[in-house]
Amino acid sequence: MINRDEFISDEDWREFLAFSKDLETPYVVINPKTIELNYQRLRGFFPYSEIFYAVKANPAPEIISLLAGMGSNFDLASRPELDMVLSLGIQAERLSYGNTIKKAGDVAYFYEKGVRMFATDSKEDLRNIASAAPGSQIYVRILVENSTTADWPLSRKFGCHPDMAYDLIIMARDRGLVPLGISFHVGSQQRDIGQWDDAIAKTKYLFSCLEEYEGIRLSMINLGGGFPTAYIQPTNTLSEYAAEIKRYLVDDFGEDLPRIILEPGRSLVGNSGILASEVVLVSRKNNTALNRWVYLDTGKFNGLLETIDEAIKYPIVTSKDVPGGKEAEVILAGPTCDGQDILYERYKYRLPVDLKIGDRLYFLSTGAYTSSYASVGFNGFAPIKTCIMPLKE
Ligand SMILES: *Cc1c(COP(=O)(O)O)cnc(C)c1O
């Protein structure tokens, strides 16, 4: 049994239970008050930065509107994300197109809708941007290594070597674009704050060389996402992240910082969500097997994709939890007819021995990368629904 108090206040827990008591599982309930607090805290810790919420973490329109009302900007990855954000009345000046993998037609669409800020990491993409989005602002994403200390790494696929970033910035200028700066993403749920140190040092090197040899003055650093939310595996506090990152920035750039952008996803919405599921079956594979298999009505295909390789270990609460109650190890699995739909097998959750069919499991900190990752209906299981609690003053 986890210590629920470490993850959610008693009051928020009671409000969640009252709000959700008649909902049919599985579902994710979002508490917008938590997102509001997360946003204010991030603002407080990084007062010198602009926030571009990474919409993919949780694209619920209520969340986008809430963050827009608090002053957030938005980082987008596709046309449907752009259409959704624009339909909420958010202006194109507050948007960036951060996906480095895009079709020329997508670039043209964003440009036509008024977006003028584009990420890139390749010559081919930059050529497309130069022709389909003339005169736009460009930032180049550099490659950073983050495979061992980030719980959900984003390495290899995105970004380019700093030498290539150098060439891309020059090419951007030569093709009539505005070279804005450098971006990176140190990996999601990054537990090693030092990863920002390396990335900022590479960025500084690029700023200096480009100014010295090309006369190009970059003006912006995009520090990406990677800031933590609360799962079982502990992290430093956000205030420790902020203090260290500020120190790295000042060490490299002095007190007069360039424009700084953050692109948080997980850290803004992760702990705002609770995913509720029901036990479909509890069984053993033979009469003397020590471990029970607990099958749920949620799995990898309808909400819990980030259990791939058991990467994200959510805090789990059950409707049978009692202090001092007897518990034993279980293997947790989802409801579909797919062998991959096992949630946790190597990592052994201990759950009450009297857990039965129909009992509930609550996965805490499931506000990010759950509903937006659900398949459209594998095996007929619908994508998990999101319910937003009313925002009280
Ligand atoms: C997914 C993503 C983010 C958000 O990352 P988190 O670790 O969830 O904060 C930010 N920037 C880009 C470009 C992304 O793809």
Side-chain angles (χ1 to χ4, degrees), residues 212-261:
E212 188 174 348
Y213 301 115
E214 294 292 329
I216 298 175
R217 286 200 70 151
L218 297 178
S219 59
M220 182 277 275
I221 310 173
N222 180 326
L223 302 175
F227 307 99
T229 194
Y231 300 123
I232 284 191
Q233 210 164 5
T235 65
N236 285 290
T237 62
L238 189 61
S239 97
E240 285 159 332
Y241 278 73
E244 288 297 287
I245 289 170
K246 179 73 190 289
R247 192 166 64 78
Y248 306 147
L249 284 169
V250 171
D251 278 355
D252 281 329
F253 288 89
E255 290 292 340
D256 192 17
L257 292 179
R259 179 180 171 200
I260 302 290
I261 285 177

Side-chain angles (χ1 to χ4, degrees), residues 79-131:
R79 292 194 207 194
E81 278 188 355
L82 174 62
D83 289 341
M84 188 269 291
V85 168
L86 291 175
S87 77
L88 298 172
I90 295 161
Q91 282 132 6
E93 300 85 74
R94 295 170 68 179
L95 309 177
S96 60
Y97 194 176
N99 194 348
T100 56
I101 303 155
K102 49 194 175 299
K103 300 176 181 175
D106 300 332
V107 175
Y109 189 80
F110 271 67
Y111 184 76
E112 188 187 307
K113 299 286 179 183
V115 176
R116 292 292 179 271
M117 205 172 153
F118 294 83
T120 194
D121 63 4
S122 69
K123 289 183 178 162
E124 290 69 19
D125 182 54
L126 188 57
R127 248 178 242 127
N128 284 341
I129 299 171
S131 57

Side-chain angles (χ1 to χ4, degrees), residues 151-170:
D151 288 345
W152 196 258
L154 298 165
S155 55
R156 288 194 355 265
K157 182 170 169 185
F158 306 103
C160 60
H161 188 279
D163 291 348
M164 175 165 270
Y166 186 90
D167 293 345
L168 291 175
I169 291 286
I170 295 170

Side-chain angles (χ1 to χ4, degrees), residues 54 56 75 141 185 188 225-226 263-266 369:
K56 75 175 189 290
D75 184 56
R141 180 158 170 183
H185 194 306
S188 201
E263 278 177 353
R266 192 183 300 279
Y369 305 115

